[in-house]
Amino acid sequence: MLLLVGILFLILEFLHGVFSSGFMPILHTTLQSQGTLAMAIYYLGLAVGQLAIYRFAPFSRSKYNYPVFEMAFGGSLILMALFPTPTGLILGRLLEGIALGLTIPLIFASLLKIDALGSIPRRVAMFNSSLALGYVMGPLLVAYPMQWWSTSYLLGVAGLFFMAMPILLFFLPVPSPHSELTEQQLKLKVLFGQDWFQTFYPLFLFKLLMGFVMSFATGYITHYITAIPLTQILFAFSVIFILGQISGELILRRLPIAHLETYLPLLLVSCLILFFVSSHPVWLALLTFGLSMMALVGYVRFGFKATSAREFALFNSLSDPAMALGAALAIFGIKGAWGLIPLYFVPFIQACRRSPSATRSEFYFPFVGPLLMRKTYQKHKNPVLHPLADSHLQGLTYAYQSDPGQTSGLSLIFTGDLSPTDKPLKISDTLAAKLKQADLRFINLEGPFADNGSQGFRFGMQPEPTAALLQSGFNVVNLVNNHILDQGAQAIAYTQQSLADLGCESISSDLNKIKCQGLTIGVFGLTFGSNLVWNHDPCIVGLKPERLMADTKLQALWQEKIQQYKSEVDLLILSYHWGYEAEAFPHTLQKECFDFLSSAGIDILYGHHAHIVQPFEVKDNTLVMYSCGNFSSKMPLPIYQQGVFFEVTYNSELELVAVSSHFIEQTETGIESQNKKDSLAYQYWHALSRA
């Protein structure tokens, strides 16, 4: 039923596009010199309707408001049919604009709650595509019945349709577009203060260029494409726009949205300049394609961040003046593009200022080049001097003990990344004794066994010294990380067999059950991605925390899977290769992800990849170790030669008793114990926590 509601929404959105564009030229012909006034009043009404949704919460509180507003839209068409005088048509256009302004935010907010339509980017793409297709096809669809019907008759029929069709929505399970927000939360200062660029500016840029391109196309494009009628040109643009929506949704599965926010504006500016120089329409087609993806980025941000139709209505109406500005610049022809170009360098400047927590070197190599790689290198150069990664210290600690008097029933030790290194992989006697006291000892193998070792960014672990290390201290080895596919799928099979020969359990993305002290310990692994995206293996599953937290359908899938895993074991451990490199604190997004995973049934989240030891957190008998740092590494700075053993103790009832931190350091002779006060990560955390 929800899928039916979603399809009905998309049909109505398509028809709104049809009537927005289809009646404009007809009414303009009817009103003649007053046609421009009617169009201006229509857009004024559109802004008034959206601002009314923002200002008056009851307008979006009930799921029945939307059908009523749709019927009001139909009523405005009937008014124009009954009073086809200039005054009646102008007043009707005002009411039509207000009714549409009231409906659009509710359609958008309700669509985002219909999981049956797919992920949030896919829902946004459907929303944009249906409106764009209707807008371009409007003149054609309206002109055809006008061969037999008068304007008044057609307006009356359309009005009755919009009065009748929304009645279906009274009997269907329409999601409410409303979420309770305080007036303080809806203040512009608060909303823009969160992140003005990501929240508002991509949408503003899209509408700015959209106003320019549409006005330029209708006024000037026939000078460049003389063999094709304008209607066919605009229809072709709509097809390109829809392809851009589809492509953008697919790209967002691979790259963070910050990439498109930064680089799409530069691509659009390049297309404008190339069109200005060459006058070749192919650049205008590419511009339309990029513009479509820019629209997706702008509206997806609302899908990720906005919690109600009121926020959408506010930002959508505030960005509408950009359409008028773009249209005004189109008066000057292609030369008007020079008025747009400075505004499209703002994302580039913003990216240079953006926190390195917004980047990952795996994402930015080799896809997009030097801009944010520079930020990554800066972060690696001096990570502990970098400010908090959009996180906070609440709940973070390096020591936990619930009841010192309880006896232990299960002891686990977790450490970080075992990466290729030129230094010896020998564990000191003190650490070896500590490891032997634990039932299970976990380590992340950052790369497969490979006789030829590493080749640049393609990691490979020399089998003999690595096997000797694992056999002397560790018995559970994680293989789910961004480097494990560096040597291909055959190397993974070789590594798994080698670990089995050593008596070690290997962690893949399938549930692995380990018997220990009469208990069944379940372990499975996830990674944010792989360095070589063309290498695949079914035992390695990639799941970006960003995507998980943005996609409710994906959350439902993983919640069901985790609950199934949990029902089969006594203790469930997720080994997650995640987070941001070279940062001393977890990101807020990781904290939110941990909350979801713990509520789904995870008992321990064993995190790695940041290369720096991060504090851990305990919530309701659930533990997250955000990062265990490096066990071994070729990375040059002292902080990358430091790691930790997190010793986790449970009692016989599987209640978490204690988590202890034993800091380690890689030296020229091997892996040694380190005094806690000598750990750079601990020093930084301790100084900030005291402050």
Side-chain angles (χ1 to χ4, degrees), residues 53-64:
I53 291 291
Y54 159 68
R55 186 64 186 88
F56 303 108
F59 281 7
S60 63
R61 185 162 287 150
S62 171
K63 69 177 183 179
Y64 300 115

Side-chain angles (χ1 to χ4, degrees), residues 383-400:
V384 293
L385 295 182
H386 177 69
L388 286 174
D390 301 324
S391 186
H392 51 81
L393 296 175
Q394 184 177 356
L396 299 179
T397 181
Y398 276 117
Y400 171 80

Side-chain angles (χ1 to χ4, degrees), residues 324-340:
L325 177 58
L329 290 170
I331 295 172
F332 302 98
I334 190 62
K335 293 181 180 179
W338 295 109
L340 301 175

Side-chain angles (χ1 to χ4, degrees), residues 203-515:
L203 185 65
F204 176 85
L205 286 183
F206 156 68
K207 291 192 175 180
L208 181 71
L209 195 54
M210 186 70 175
F212 176 84
V213 170
M214 290 301 296
S215 302
F216 176 80
T218 54
Y220 295 92
I221 193 62
T222 52
H223 295 295
Y224 302 95
I225 308 176
T226 57
I228 305 176
L230 179 61
T231 54
Q232 295 182 22
I233 294 172
L234 293 178
F235 183 75
F237 280 174
S238 72
V239 173
I240 294 171
F241 186 90
I242 293 171
L243 291 175
Q245 294 286 297
I246 296 171
S247 300
E249 193 268 336
L250 294 174
I251 289 172
L252 282 175
R253 298 182 189 181
R254 288 289 184 186
L255 299 178
I257 195 170
H259 280 202
L260 297 182
E261 285 174 339
T262 302
Y263 290 96
L264 268 178
L266 299 180
L267 173 66
L268 295 174
V269 166
S270 300
C271 290
L272 274 175
I273 294 173
L274 289 168
F275 182 68
F276 179 80
V277 173
S278 68
S279 298
H280 199 291
V282 69
W283 300 116
L284 203 59
L286 288 175
L287 180 67
T288 304
F289 186 81
L291 181 64
S292 174
M293 288 197 283
M294 194 73 194
L296 185 70
V297 168
Y299 283 113
V300 162
R301 278 297 184 189
F302 283 115
F304 287 166
K305 292 190 174 184
T307 57
S308 76
R310 298 178 69 191
E311 284 176 296
F312 174 84
L314 174 64
F315 286 118
N316 206 37
S317 59
L318 286 178
S319 59
D320 280 340
M323 291 278 287
L325 177 58
L329 290 170
I331 295 172
F332 302 98
I334 190 62
K335 293 181 180 179
W338 295 109
L340 301 175
I341 288 175
L343 294 172
Y344 278 78
F345 281 99
V346 172
F348 182 86
I349 298 169
Q350 182 71 8
C352 292
R353 297 177 58 250
R354 187 179 294 147
S355 164
S357 66
T359 73
R360 284 189 179 132
S361 62
E362 289 82 0
F363 282 142
Y364 289 93
F365 180 84
F367 295 107
V368 294
L371 173 61
L372 293 177
M373 276 296 288
R374 180 180 65 85
K375 302 292 288 188
T376 302
Y377 285 137
Q378 285 181 341
K379 185 172 60 172
H380 276 291
K381 185 177 179 181
N382 206 339
V384 293
L385 295 182
H386 177 69
L388 286 174
D390 301 324
S391 186
H392 51 81
L393 296 175
Q394 184 177 356
L396 299 179
T397 181
Y398 276 117
Y400 171 80
Q401 197 162 21
S402 63
D403 187 350
Q406 297 193 58
T407 58
S408 64
L410 180 68
S411 177
L412 313 171
I413 284 182
F414 298 85
T415 193
D417 301 332
L418 173 57
S419 302
T421 179
D422 297 327
K423 296 179 181 178
L425 291 177
K426 178 178 173 57
I427 306 176
S428 69
D429 294 339
T430 303
L431 292 177
K434 174 62 68 178
L435 286 170
K436 288 180 181 178
Q437 295 173 5
D439 299 303
L440 298 176
R441 289 89 65 187
F442 293 74
I443 192 168
N444 172 53
L445 188 64
E446 193 84 358
F449 284 2
D451 293 327
N452 56 354
S454 298
Q455 300 93 40
F457 283 98
R458 299 179 65 182
F459 285 6
M461 305 298 299
Q462 292 286 352
E464 291 186 9
T466 307
L469 169 74
L470 296 175
Q471 204 165 27
S472 66
F474 299 94
N475 55 9
V476 186
V477 182
N478 176 68
L479 299 180
V480 188
N481 53 61
N482 60 309
H483 281 287
I484 202 64
L485 288 167
D486 284 4
Q487 308 287 338
Q490 290 182 340
I492 295 182
Y494 172 53
T495 304
Q496 289 174 321
Q497 184 59 53
S498 299
L499 291 173
D501 294 341
L502 294 172
C504 295
E505 300 283 350
S506 59
I507 301 175
S508 69
S509 293
D510 300 320
L511 181 64
N512 186 24
K513 298 176 183 178
I514 304 172
K515 296 293 185 179

Side-chain angles (χ1 to χ4, degrees), residues 20 40 45 52 56 102 107 123 126 129 138 169 222 268 301 309 351 470 511 528 555 571 609 618 630 639 643 666:
S20 292
F56 303 108
L102 291 168
I107 290 178
R123 283 171 253 173
M126 291 178 179
S129 298
L169 297 172
T222 52
L268 295 174
R301 278 297 184 189
L470 296 175
L511 181 64
F528 69 86
Q555 290 175 17
L571 190 76
H609 173 65
V618 177
N630 282 339
I639 194 169
Q666 184 180 18

Side-chain angles (χ1 to χ4, degrees), residues 161-234:
F161 172 83
F162 274 101
M163 292 282 287
M165 190 170 182
I167 294 176
L168 289 173
L169 297 172
F170 285 106
F171 305 100
L172 294 173
V174 179
S176 173
H178 179 75
S179 295
E180 290 294 341
L181 296 170
T182 66
E183 294 306 312
Q184 176 65 24
Q185 290 173 311
L186 280 169
K187 285 185 176 179
L188 278 177
K189 184 177 181 181
V190 174
L191 292 170
F192 279 119
Q194 295 171 359
D195 194 328
W196 68 271
F197 174 77
Q198 293 180 343
T199 305
F200 178 75
Y201 204 72
L203 185 65
F204 176 85
L205 286 183
F206 156 68
K207 291 192 175 180
L208 181 71
L209 195 54
M210 186 70 175
F212 176 84
V213 170
M214 290 301 296
S215 302
F216 176 80
T218 54
Y220 295 92
I221 193 62
T222 52
H223 295 295
Y224 302 95
I225 308 176
T226 57
I228 305 176
L230 179 61
T231 54
Q232 295 182 22
I233 294 172
L234 293 178

Side-chain angles (χ1 to χ4, degrees), residues 90-109:
I90 291 173
L91 179 60
R93 287 297 280 174
L94 174 63
L95 296 177
E96 181 188 356
I98 292 174
L100 185 60
L102 291 168
T103 59
I104 290 294
L106 302 187
I107 290 178
F108 186 86

